[in-house]
Amino acid sequence: MATMRCKSLFSSVALTSFMLAGIAPVAEAASTEDSEIRLLRAEMSQMRRDMQQQIITLKHQLAKSDVATKGHASQTAGHGRTLHVADGAYDPNIQFGEQQPIKKIAPLSGIGTPPSDRGDTMSWKDFKAATAKDEEVQIGGMQIGFPKGRFTVSSEDGAYGFSVGLAFHEDFGSFIGMSNPGAGGKKGDFDSFTENARRIRIPFTFRYKDWVANVTPDLGAGGVDGDTTNQGLYEANLNYTGLHNTILTVGYFQPRVTEEDSESSNDFEMMERPVITDLVRKIAAGDARFSFGGLHYEKRWWIAAYFTGQSFGGRSSSSGANTALVDSQTGGTFRAAGRPFVSKDIDLHVGVSAISAFKVAQNGSGRTYSFADQPEVNLTTTNLLGSGTIPNVASVWSAGPELGLRWKKLLLKGEYYHIGVTRGDAATTPAQNHNASFEGYYGSANYTLMGQGRQYNIKEGAFGAPGVEHEFDPSRGFWGALEVSGRYSVTNFKDVAAGVGNGNKQTVWSGGLNWYPNRHFRFMVDFNHFMTSGGGGGATTYNIYGRHGNSLAARVQAAF
């Protein structure tokens, strides 16, 4: 109806303009000296100009109406913009030289899941789709918005794009009921109250069509607050996304291996990964690892493989001959996952991960390797768990299965990994010829009390955070999303082979509560009870006879 009215009005105005144009020559022939006729001519000329402008405006309105009705129009940005109509033709008389006013497409919203803690590498097609459906404003030929909750500026066609995000995790808490270290042992760093800037990542993403560069500095990468040893870089890589559902990457990157490591840290069920997955990923992956490879995903399966080298800063030789790197490490990762059964209420996840350091780095002490980690809370510098230093190491590898099951708002997950250490041919004693075998596993349960339950993320091949259906607004009875989690984790570095090291075993029971007032903020509370047998990396100082204790920690999280 709007189109018919516009066409009728266009015809009427055009007919009037034609009649007025015909009067002008008659008046001119009567008498060129008559002042009234000259005045009439001027008035009619002005009327013709006004009506011509009205015709252009009506053409514009008519074309816009057709575009809205048929949904097949497109506009090109800048001066001299031409409006293309639905059938593919265009009217060259319709030009737009004025700047487009600021136009709000959709309201801002905190509904959904948290943005990633890393550069969001999307294909050009997915990027245009994300900017089209999320909140944005248009200023001339540029679009400014928050696709997937991250601030983004892009050209109108999405070819050029720039985004900046934030992953801020501030931890604080205390250790409770720590056991006595025993005669000759030291208490260690288990404070009654302490804090840690766990992550302060600022992802910068630069885009030209299907080429994407990510640079993410991390100001909070140290193990504890004030430790700046590892601060600096989380990732710096170049990606190509022009192949269907495929991302090819080169540069400093976090290769995805294990289900827990494939998740964004903004989505973790607990504040920290299980110890076994954290140690496995560090064999030849982890943060800021030089990587070359790619991943491919579909709705029902996911696969990735990377060749890896040293981590960023791994060639540092800051003190002593033993730390000077003589020969860099090389390795690789592989992960495949699938969903053999999917329905509205059920998601079954199965997968396998494998990782290997083909050649362990060599320093002044030769090719050595050691495993050590904290009791699944990064509020201490003291490691109670460890393998001890293993000399004469040729390679280190690990492999194991993944399993996950979602039923409505309940999610169950578990992983098991076997670790093998292959010894080299440079043994100084017969004991150093023995290979070593370690293992670890975890099982977790999560239930969403409020909000949308955790859903499967096909681009990560892993489960994501719960969804906020209504952001926090007590006046309307909205409270965001709330979930409760529990986990049982075991890591064992004991091995009967002589000369392997002085390893020990750690068990951790964990429980946690996570509240999301909206997609951008989260508050976490975790309680851990840990038990570690004697020995390990700190056998001569902190854990001679075995230790146990508890931690109560909280985290405030901001994700953009």
Side-chain angles (χ1 to χ4, degrees):
M1 292 297 294
T3 302
M4 293 178 63
R5 287 196 299 269
C6 288
K7 289 182 176 178
S8 177
L9 184 57
F10 172 85
S11 300
S12 299
V13 173
L15 179 59
T16 305
S17 177
F18 174 78
M19 293 172 62
L20 290 173
I23 294 173
V26 175
E28 185 178 3
S31 174
T32 58
E33 301 297 326
D34 190 285
S35 60
E36 293 182 0
I37 293 179
R38 287 199 304 270
L39 181 60
L40 181 60
R41 288 178 58 198
E43 290 176 353
M44 287 189 293
S45 296
Q46 183 61 42
M47 289 175 66
R48 282 199 303 269
R49 287 193 294 270
D50 292 342
M51 289 185 178
Q52 288 173 353
Q53 183 60 43
Q54 291 180 22
I55 291 171
I56 293 175
T57 302
L58 287 172
K59 286 182 179 180
H60 184 190
Q61 293 175 352
L62 177 59
K64 287 175 64 179
S65 177
D66 287 341
V67 168
T69 302
K70 299 179 181 180
H72 299 294
S74 63
Q75 295 186 4
T76 56
H79 292 283
R81 179 181 300 170
T82 303
L83 181 66
H84 294 252
V85 296
D87 61 2
Y90 65 91
D91 189 340
N93 294 319
I94 304 176
Q95 300 289 329
F96 303 90
E98 72 280 3
Q99 279 279 48
Q100 288 289 326
I102 295 178
K103 179 175 57 177
K104 195 165 188 175
I105 304 300
L108 297 176
S109 175
I111 307 302
T113 57
S116 176
D117 65 346
R118 53 191 73 132
D120 201 347
T121 307
M122 293 182 282
S123 68
W124 187 22
K125 177 182 177 181
D126 290 343
F127 179 72
K128 289 189 289 185
T131 55
K133 70 180 182 180
D134 283 280
E135 52 269 19
E136 63 182 23
V137 294
Q138 183 170 334
I139 305 178
M142 300 298 294
Q143 298 191 40
I144 301 176
F146 294 83
K148 296 188 176 182
R150 177 162 293 175
F151 175 77
T152 302
V153 179
S154 66
S155 57
E156 195 171 30
D157 61 358
Y160 285 93
F162 168 76
S163 65
V164 58
L166 173 69
F168 168 69
H169 300 170
E170 177 69 31
D171 298 352
F172 54 93
S174 62
F175 290 91
I176 308 166
M178 287 297 302
S179 64
N180 192 297
K186 295 182 180 180
K187 177 183 176 182
D189 180 17
F190 298 102
D191 296 339
S192 58
F193 181 82
T194 187
E195 59 286 316
N196 180 27
R198 183 66 177 89
R199 295 178 181 89
I200 309 177
R201 294 177 183 169
I202 307 174
F204 295 96
T205 299
F206 304 81
R207 166 183 301 279
Y208 175 68
K209 295 184 178 179
D210 283 315
W211 296 88
V212 181
N214 293 314
V215 179
T216 304
D218 191 347
L219 306 180
V224 293
D225 212 39
D227 176 12
T228 60
T229 304
N230 297 319
Q231 291 180 4
L233 187 69
Y234 169 68
E235 65 176 350
N237 50 68
L238 175 65
N239 305 269
Y240 179 69
T241 64
L243 304 177
H244 176 67
N245 290 353
T246 301
I247 302 174
L248 303 178
T249 302
V250 61
Y252 289 111
F253 182 63
Q254 180 195 330
R256 317 300 187 225
V257 63
T258 81
E259 195 278 343
E260 282 277 335
D261 192 44
S262 298
E263 295 180 11
S264 162
S265 62
N266 290 335
D267 297 345
F268 286 174
E269 293 178 351
M270 313 294 294
M271 289 171 58
E272 299 296 336
R273 300 177 182 88
V275 165
I276 185 61
T277 60
D278 195 40
L279 293 176
V280 164
R281 78 191 192 102
K282 291 176 180 177
I283 292 174
D287 301 348
R289 175 78 68 170
F290 176 80
S291 308
F292 175 77
L295 65 85
H296 180 82
Y297 62 90
E298 298 292 346
K299 290 184 178 180
R300 300 291 290 270
W301 59 277
W302 187 101
I303 190 169
Y306 298 91
F307 169 83
T308 66
Q310 290 289 143
S311 296
F312 178 74
R315 295 190 61 82
S316 172
S317 57
S318 56
S319 61
N322 290 342
T323 62
L325 195 65
V326 177
D327 190 15
S328 295
Q329 174 178 303
T330 58
T333 70
F334 173 81
R335 178 174 181 254
R339 295 191 294 164
F341 184 84
V342 180
S343 70
K344 178 182 178 182
D345 294 330
I346 299 175
D347 250 320
L348 176 61
H349 164 91
V350 294
V352 60
S353 287
I355 187 170
S356 177
F358 310 139
K359 180 186 66 176
V360 174
Q362 181 180 356
N363 58 23
S365 297
R367 298 189 188 275
T368 65
Y369 202 90
S370 63
F371 296 90
D373 213 338
Q374 297 145 340
E376 298 187 5
V377 58
N378 269 40
L379 292 174
T380 176
T381 59
T382 303
N383 297 323
L384 299 180
L385 172 71
S387 65
T389 299
I390 306 173
N392 188 35
V393 175
S395 64
V396 181
W397 62 271
S398 180
E402 313 167 8
L403 182 64
L405 174 65
R406 178 189 65 85
W407 179 65
K408 296 183 178 180
K409 294 188 176 184
L410 174 66
L411 175 61
L412 304 175
K413 292 195 310 181
E415 297 181 74
Y416 168 87
Y417 290 99
H418 178 87
I419 299 174
V421 179
T422 304
R423 312 301 283 277
D425 57 3
T428 57
T429 66
Q432 291 185 3
N433 287 319
H434 289 279
N435 296 333
S437 295
F438 309 124
E439 65 179 357
Y441 57 90
Y442 76 91
S444 68
N446 172 278
Y447 188 79
T448 303
L449 301 170
M450 295 187 299
Q452 184 185 52
R454 286 178 171 257
Q455 301 294 312
Y456 199 78
N457 186 331
I458 64 171
K459 293 186 178 181
E460 294 179 346
F463 290 94
V468 177
E469 296 176 311
H470 302 284
E471 60 179 303
F472 180 65
D473 186 353
S475 65
R476 301 174 61 191
F478 298 149
W479 301 94
L482 182 69
E483 63 177 348
V484 60
S485 300
R487 188 169 70 202
Y488 176 68
S489 169
V490 176
T491 307
N492 189 356
F493 286 120
K494 290 184 177 180
D495 193 294
V496 296
V500 167
N502 190 21
N504 61 357
K505 179 180 179 180
Q506 178 174 277
T507 301
V508 183
W509 291 88
S510 305
L513 192 67
N514 304 326
W515 175 51
Y516 304 75
N518 52 59
R519 74 185 302 182
H520 296 292
F521 296 92
R522 174 166 69 162
F523 299 87
M524 308 179 70
V525 178
D526 283 7
F527 176 81
N528 291 349
H529 175 65
F530 48 89
M531 301 164 286
T532 310
S533 63
T540 59
T541 51
Y542 306 110
N543 190 20
I544 303 174
Y545 308 104
R547 301 285 297 274
H548 66 268
N550 309 284
S551 65
L552 180 63
R555 169 177 293 172
V556 291
Q557 170 181 302
F560 289 89

